[in-house]
Amino acid sequence: MTRLLHLTDLHFGLHRVELVEPLRAAILANQPDLVVVSGDLTHRARAGQFRAAMQFLNGLGLPLMIIPGNHDMPLFNPFARFLSPFGRYRRAVGRDLTPQVALGAVRLFGVNTADPQQWRGGVARKEEIERVCQAVRAGPDGGLNILVAHHPFAEPPGFERGETAGAQIATEKLAAAGLNVILSGHLHHWTVGLGIDATSVRPVLHIQTGTALCSRIGEKNHGFAVIDASVGQIAVTPWVIDEARTVFAPQARVAFQGVDGLWQRVALA
Ligand SMILES: [Fe+2]
Ligand SMILES: [Fe+2]
């Protein structure tokens, strides 16, 4: 069993300062094998915001896998946005915008969906998807293959905005190659197992986690997802802020089983 902790949309610079320490404590209490951070580390891609985000993340002392989000590109500086959209991200986080991590049979593939040409939307770049498909096909067989993207590859009810260009065809290609799970953020909204219920199965399990810290008006259910994963088995526990006590608390666990390449929801024992 591999324990992943999915953290997304920290938005340092427009974040709830009072949640930072409770977040740190809750992450450490879960002892994950890997913290997966799917973008929007900062609100405006400023150097100080990246410093604060990386101080927090590196301070956890846990293995990290990080990809950029749309807020990690400068918005108001057109020269920086178009000439070097990920320059600040690379200086602060690292050069690799599409990291890959293998933890035994669990393999994670990062893609960069942030697009300097769009204000908010993203793109599933053909060459990145093709590279992931090849890596998944190359095996080893019988693993659990997870894509990590900032923008969602499937949109839940109420969010059908066509936000990620090419996501549908990319998902079909990835599923055909043997990809099992897509982790994403960006919507600041929780949806675990979109399209999967008692009567409906899917080849790809989408786990969309809410914002960890963003303080924009109207944001709610701040938290992160704890994902206990092994081949053919996934259990997701959303950890969500209890506003009255200012602590992150585990919510009901949701479990899925992969049968013949299709995910179905299973009752917990
Ligand atoms: Fe965000
Ligand atoms: Fe975003």
Side-chain angles (χ1 to χ4, degrees):
M1 182 76 72
T2 299
R3 172 163 285 189
L4 308 172
L5 192 144
H6 182 212
L7 186 62
T8 193
D9 298 84
L10 295 153
H11 285 262
F12 271 91
L14 187 74
H15 66 289
R16 291 183 59 181
V17 176
E18 79 282 11
L19 297 191
V20 172
E21 284 311 315
L23 179 64
R24 184 194 316 276
I27 292 171
L28 293 176
N30 276 288
Q31 298 189 308
D33 298 303
L34 178 71
V35 177
V36 181
V37 187
S38 59
D40 285 1
L41 278 67
T42 71
H43 192 61
R44 286 286 171 245
R46 300 210 165 99
Q49 296 174 352
F50 275 120
R51 254 197 316 276
M54 292 313 294
Q55 203 171 2
F56 175 79
L57 292 170
N58 287 327
L60 296 170
L62 294 165
L64 300 169
M65 174 183 180
I66 308 176
I67 58 160
N70 53 308
H71 278 267
D72 298 317
M73 301 177 289
L75 182 63
F76 299 122
N77 178 340
F79 292 104
R81 187 171 177 90
F82 293 106
L83 292 176
S84 180
F86 301 104
R88 286 183 195 161
Y89 176 94
R90 284 191 153 116
R91 279 193 290 281
V93 182
R95 293 209 56 77
D96 191 357
L97 304 179
T98 58
Q100 296 187 21
V101 176
L103 298 165
V106 178
R107 298 194 299 160
L108 299 105
F109 303 92
V111 290
N112 172 23
T113 56
D115 180 5
Q117 310 286 343
Q118 300 186 58
W119 170 60
R120 188 182 67 190
V123 58
R125 292 180 172 86
K126 261 189 188 159
E127 63 278 12
E128 289 190 24
I129 298 304
E130 196 44 51
R131 178 182 51 77
V132 174
C133 286
Q134 279 175 14
V136 169
R137 270 196 219 98
D141 285 344
L144 182 76
N145 297 299
I146 303 175
L147 187 85
V148 182
H150 177 65
H151 291 81
F153 276 41
E155 295 175 321
F159 291 86
E160 297 100 334
R161 305 192 287 228
E163 192 98 335
T164 315
Q168 196 178 336
I169 183 83
T171 307
E172 286 164 18
K173 284 184 181 170
L174 290 161
L179 188 95
N180 309 112
V181 180
I182 299 181
L183 304 185
S184 61
H186 182 66
L187 298 178
H188 297 201
H189 178 80
W190 289 88
T191 314
V192 177
L194 182 65
I196 301 174
D197 57 31
T199 56
S200 162
V201 295
R202 290 275 174 98
V204 175
L205 172 62
H206 294 271
I207 300 172
Q208 296 166 346
T209 296
T211 176
L213 291 174
C214 185
S215 69
R216 235 172 353 211
I217 291 169
E219 300 286 0
K220 56 183 182 191
N221 299 328
H222 297 77
F224 57 87
V226 174
I227 302 169
D228 289 316
S230 56
V231 175
Q233 301 275 352
I234 295 248
V236 183
T237 310
W239 279 62
V240 173
I241 192 69
D242 174 342
E243 296 287 0
R245 297 188 299 140
T246 323
V247 294
F248 289 87
Q251 311 298 300
R253 214 151 70 108
V254 189
F256 302 89
Q257 193 172 25
V259 178
D260 297 332
L262 294 170
W263 290 104
Q264 59 188 37
R265 219 176 137 146
V266 289
L268 285 163

